[in-house]
């Protein structure tokens, strides 16, 4: 059993197609938007029926073709449950399996490169995404990444696989294609023989540049590759200046900042609104009521400072009124606070179609209902 390994040169990304020869059922892992014609040709030439388009994580460097692939092939999207890919039909948790013909792909939750990242085991193969690369590993400096978590994921879930297991990485930037667990255990310069503290120090010293496409890629990948830059309000334009606070940002830019670890999203709606209308995964709740005295309130000040923890704040309410009041207060406290335009539901007076135009929810950004 060997996967078909395909390469996207501009992003250095590997895509894998796995098949069960008798039934011709197949799975694709980490497909790339620009390579959809190539991937459809491969599926056709091997007469494969695609069952699942699977992501190892919400990528920061390229856009997935998963949504388009499933539309064209009838497959289902599957993604790690903790990645916030709200459109994925199957939300994978640790130990879950996907079946194609008589074959099984098993998901391992391996946080570190991102909080939700997964690796997938297929017989004597492991698809390591950006958790373990050949003589390297994924960076841990954005998207809820953690060097400590990555070290533990590798030690607990990857270096415990048989030494002969073939490692198929999510990327390689130097032309290498695959490795083995035994070889990486012995030779990986970041991980072999390193203590957790040594590994954390190595990762802290990398100082890698931001991926060029991160602001465009992450929001799109959270909806399986459906772009958010098509609509008039959705472009990832720079914040616009505002009086009394740091500025106004679109929902898409706010989410891009949250995903890249630059900003914390604070939801200032009431507990009831969040519970009944819906909420944003990972948001910090700081309910704010517009009654006299509420703005200058030690409790509110403390919660805002704690939420920011040195990062930018992006403030969300229903339609963008309360969030401005709180942004002003946060900036008066010395924080770097932005208002999210249109809020969670959009403004019915501005757009006339409440819930269908404008607002976090209508724009397809991640949210969930209790
Ligand atoms: N230069 C690339 C970014 C490459 C990058 O940051 N790759 C991530 C994976 S999404 C990584 O973990 N790289 C590890 C490394 O370079 O050591 C771009 O702009 O897209
Ligand atoms: Fe990545």
């Amino acid at each position: 059993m060997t996967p078909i390994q395909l390469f996207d040169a501009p992003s250095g990304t590997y895509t894998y197609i796995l098949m069960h020869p008798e039934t011709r059922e197949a799975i694709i892992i980490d497909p790339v938007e620009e390579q959809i014609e190539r991937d459809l040709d491969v599926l056709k030439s091997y007469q494969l029926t695609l069952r699942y388009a699977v992501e190892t994580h919400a990528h920061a460097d390229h856009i997935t073709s998963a949504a388009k692939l499933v539309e064209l092939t009838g497959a289902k999207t599957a993604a790690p449950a903790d990645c916030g890919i709200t459109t994925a039909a199957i939300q994978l948790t640790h130990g879950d399996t996907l079946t194609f013909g008589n074959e099984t792909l098993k998901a391992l939750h391996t946080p570190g490169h991102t909080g939700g990242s997964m690796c997938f085991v297929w017989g004597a193969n492991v698809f390591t995404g950006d958790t373990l690369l050949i003589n390297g590993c994924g960076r841990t400096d954005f998207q809820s990444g953690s060097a400590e978590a990555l070290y533990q994921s590798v030690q607990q879930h990857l270096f415990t696989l048989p030494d002969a297991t073939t490692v198929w990485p999510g990327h390689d930037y130097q032309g290498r294609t695959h490795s083995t667990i035994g070889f990486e255990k012995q030779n990986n310069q970041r991980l072999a023989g390193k203590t957790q503290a040594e590994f954390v120090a190595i990762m802290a010293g990398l100082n890698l540049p931001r991926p060029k496409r991160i602001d465009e890629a992450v929001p799109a990948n959270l909806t399986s590759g459906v772009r958010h830059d098509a609509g008039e309000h959705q472009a990832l334009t720079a914040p616009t200046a505002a009086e009394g606070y740091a500025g106004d940002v679109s929902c898409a830019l706010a989410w891009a900042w949250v995903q890249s670890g630059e900003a914390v999203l604070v939801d200032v709606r009431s507990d009831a609104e969040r519970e009944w209308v819906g909420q944003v995964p990972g948001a910090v709740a700081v309910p704010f009521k517009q009654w006299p005295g509420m703005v200058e309130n030690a409790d509110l000040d403390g919660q805002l400072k704690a939420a920011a923890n040195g990062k930018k704040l992006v403030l969300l309410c229903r339609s963008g009124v309360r969030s401005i009041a709180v942004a002003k207060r946060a900036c008066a406290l010395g924080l770097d606070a932005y208002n999210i335009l249109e809020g969670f539901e959009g403004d019915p007076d501005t757009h006339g179609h409440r819930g269908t135009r404008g607002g976090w929810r209508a724009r397809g950004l991640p949210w969930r209902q209790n």
Side-chain angles (χ1 to χ4, degrees):
M1 287 194 311
T2 308
I4 298 172
Q5 186 181 42
L6 301 153
F7 189 59
D8 176 61
S11 65
T13 303
Y14 283 123
T15 297
Y16 297 96
I17 295 179
L18 290 48
M19 69 173 103
H20 175 241
E22 284 75 34
T23 57
R24 314 309 288 177
E25 292 190 3
I27 281 185
I28 193 163
I29 300 176
D30 287 341
V32 174
E33 181 176 57
E34 289 82 358
Q35 304 291 350
I36 189 163
E37 294 301 328
R38 174 201 69 188
D39 297 345
L40 289 168
D41 280 351
V42 173
L43 294 171
K44 200 168 155 202
S45 66
Y46 286 92
Q47 297 171 313
L48 300 176
T49 306
L50 190 66
R51 287 280 170 239
Y52 301 102
V54 186
E55 306 293 344
T56 54
H57 59 293
H59 307 280
D61 60 337
H62 68 271
I63 295 178
T64 175
S65 68
K68 289 192 194 89
L69 268 179
V70 302
E71 207 175 299
L72 294 168
T73 63
K76 286 191 170 141
T77 43
D82 290 348
C83 281
I85 302 174
T86 48
T87 45
I90 297 170
Q91 297 285 332
L92 296 164
T93 57
H94 186 76
D96 282 356
T97 55
L98 295 171
T99 303
F100 52 113
N102 289 348
E103 303 287 344
T104 313
L105 187 72
K106 184 177 169 196
L108 304 176
H109 182 212
T110 52
H113 174 56
T114 72
S117 287
M118 282 189 156
C119 297
F120 296 97
V121 176
W122 178 44
N125 302 286
V126 62
F127 302 90
T128 54
D130 297 352
T131 303
L132 179 65
L133 303 177
I134 299 172
N135 196 22
C137 63
R139 62 197 289 175
T140 53
D141 56 342
F142 53 61
Q143 289 183 285
S144 56
S146 154
E148 289 85 354
L150 192 136
Y151 185 87
Q152 288 302 324
S153 293
V154 170
Q155 299 297 338
Q156 287 174 20
H157 298 303
L158 299 181
F159 283 180
T160 50
L161 295 169
D163 279 356
T165 308
T166 306
V167 171
W168 301 98
H171 292 290
D172 195 86
Y173 305 108
Q174 293 170 45
R176 298 161 298 192
T177 56
H178 60 287
S179 180
T180 64
I181 289 292
F183 190 84
E184 293 307 316
K185 242 169 35 186
Q186 288 292 320
N187 300 297
N188 189 299
Q189 283 178 4
R190 290 190 191 162
L191 286 151
K194 295 284 192 278
T195 64
Q196 179 168 314
E198 287 167 337
F199 176 74
V200 170
I202 291 171
M203 296 310 285
L206 289 181
N207 290 320
L208 296 168
R210 252 170 87 78
K212 290 188 265 321
R213 296 182 65 191
I214 187 169
D215 289 338
E216 161 199 30
V218 172
N221 287 328
L222 292 174
T223 45
S224 302
V226 176
R227 286 165 174 279
H228 298 282
D229 54 3
E232 52 182 324
H233 297 291
Q234 298 194 24
L236 286 174
T237 45
T240 47
E243 189 67 33
Y245 56 102
D248 292 309
V249 293
S250 65
C251 298
L253 182 63
W255 185 242
W257 281 357
V258 169
Q259 285 298 294
S260 68
E262 269 173 63
V264 174
L265 193 146
V266 169
D267 188 335
V268 302
R269 293 173 304 152
S270 67
D271 293 343
E273 285 176 281
R274 277 182 286 104
E275 187 167 334
W276 292 102
V277 184
Q279 50 189 294
V280 176
V284 178
V286 180
F288 175 78
K289 296 186 190 69
Q290 280 197 299
W291 57 41
M294 183 62 188
V295 170
E296 283 169 40
N297 172 310
D299 207 30
L300 174 71
D301 293 354
Q303 288 183 67
L304 292 172
K305 285 181 186 160
N309 196 16
K311 294 183 178 180
K312 289 176 194 162
L313 288 181
V314 282
L315 293 151
L316 184 76
C317 65
R318 187 188 67 78
S319 67
V321 176
R322 282 167 290 179
S323 52
I324 291 179
V326 181
K328 286 183 176 166
R329 179 62 191 163
C331 287
L333 297 170
L335 302 172
D336 191 17
Y338 294 79
N339 165 53
I340 301 178
L341 287 165
E342 305 175 314
F344 190 77
E345 295 176 73
D347 185 342
D349 298 333
T350 308
H351 297 296
H353 306 277
R354 179 170 170 184
T356 58
R357 271 193 68 194
W360 188 275
R361 190 172 49 171
R363 294 196 178 288
L365 289 149
W367 68 283
R368 61 166 194 271
Q369 203 145 26
N370 274 351

